[in-house]
Amino acid sequence: MRPIRILSVCGSGTVSSAMVSGKLKERLGEVGYEIVTVEVNPGGVESALLAGNYDFIAHTSPISGEFAIPAINAVGFLTGFGEEEFLERALGVIKGLEAEA
């Protein structure tokens, strides 16, 4: 399967989004997925979506707009309180991609 491309969003586009990206690579890598992430701040979401082909958005800061891909709140994944719920949603998106392929 091709790598899963995730847009990781936090307030500054650096610290929290990088932490979420690293954790996604680790946790989803454990179940066999190759993860590619790009980190941006909320203001960079639209231009990143135009420039890249992402499978979903993982965000720890509010983002506004309508997106053609799922946007999943990753605060629980970052803090550990709600981590499994986030992973279930992310894996649901990935399984849907596999079914389409």
Side-chain angles (χ1 to χ4, degrees):
M1 180 177 182
R2 67 171 176 77
I4 305 301
R5 294 187 43 84
I6 303 168
L7 187 61
S8 184
V9 183
C10 75
S12 68
T14 54
V15 179
S16 295
S17 58
M19 291 173 66
V20 167
S21 292
K23 202 167 177 180
L24 280 165
K25 289 175 183 177
E26 178 185 328
R27 293 295 304 271
L28 294 176
E30 290 172 355
V31 292
Y33 293 104
E34 179 184 349
I35 305 299
V36 175
T37 60
V38 171
E39 295 87 23
V40 298
N41 64 27
V45 171
E46 287 189 35
S47 57
L49 291 175
L50 290 172
N53 185 22
Y54 298 96
D55 297 304
F56 69 90
I57 302 167
H59 62 93
T60 60
S61 291
I63 54 175
S64 59
E66 295 293 319
F67 309 107
I69 59 174
I72 306 171
N73 187 323
V75 171
F77 187 60
L78 181 64
T79 65
F81 299 104
E83 185 170 326
E84 293 308 315
E85 292 85 353
F86 172 84
L87 284 173
E88 285 176 23
R89 289 196 61 202
L91 285 169
V93 169
I94 293 168
K95 300 287 183 197
L97 295 170
E98 292 175 332
E100 291 174 6

